[in-house]
Amino acid sequence: MFRQTITDERLDGATIRYTADLRGDVSSEVTHFFGAKAGLFLQVGNHPNAFMGDQDPGTGQWDWQSYSVSETLPVGVNSVNVGFIHQAGEGAIEARNPSLVLVNCLD
């Protein structure tokens, strides 16, 4: 997993959109129990649930595609972790043009 934590008071209660172009060549054969997937990673605050490569495709071979995930942060939460995850077998993903955008915020 490669991730960055963003903390900003404008995130409190805001709806955000995390987008990136991804290209992959990722084997679905794994030796762990988590299931094979690779792609975007988005976690709101310290919440244990996260978007972890749940886009389609997340394994196999694919050319450049734009992927996006949106989330509304609860009031009182002003941080997100964004990045990329590769918990699959052999292979790699490439990313370009990542962006994190405030769709709307509480003012």
Side-chain angles (χ1 to χ4, degrees):
M1 183 181 323
F2 176 79
R3 68 185 175 108
Q4 176 181 6
T5 300
I6 310 292
T7 302
D8 190 300
E9 63 186 38
R10 295 173 291 178
L11 294 173
D12 187 344
T15 300
I16 59 169
R17 182 175 48 245
Y18 175 50
T19 304
D21 299 333
L22 300 177
R23 175 168 64 180
D25 185 3
V26 178
S27 172
S28 62
E29 296 180 23
V30 295
T31 58
H32 55 72
F33 300 105
F34 302 116
K37 56 185 169 182
L40 297 179
F41 175 82
L42 172 66
Q43 179 184 28
V44 173
N46 292 323
H47 197 275
N49 294 335
F51 183 93
M52 296 181 15
D54 297 320
Q55 75 285 326
D56 187 30
T59 59
Q61 189 174 39
W62 70 93
D63 205 359
W64 290 111
Q65 294 184 48
S66 183
Y67 294 94
S68 182
V69 59
S70 296
E71 189 71 47
T72 300
L73 281 72
V75 172
V77 175
N78 66 354
S79 69
V80 295
N81 294 303
V82 295
F84 308 98
I85 186 167
H86 184 297
Q87 73 175 33
E90 293 184 13
I93 59 171
E94 296 177 66
R96 65 182 183 194
N97 303 321
S99 69
L100 180 64
V101 176
L102 283 172
V103 176
N104 65 6
C105 56
L106 300 177
D107 283 323

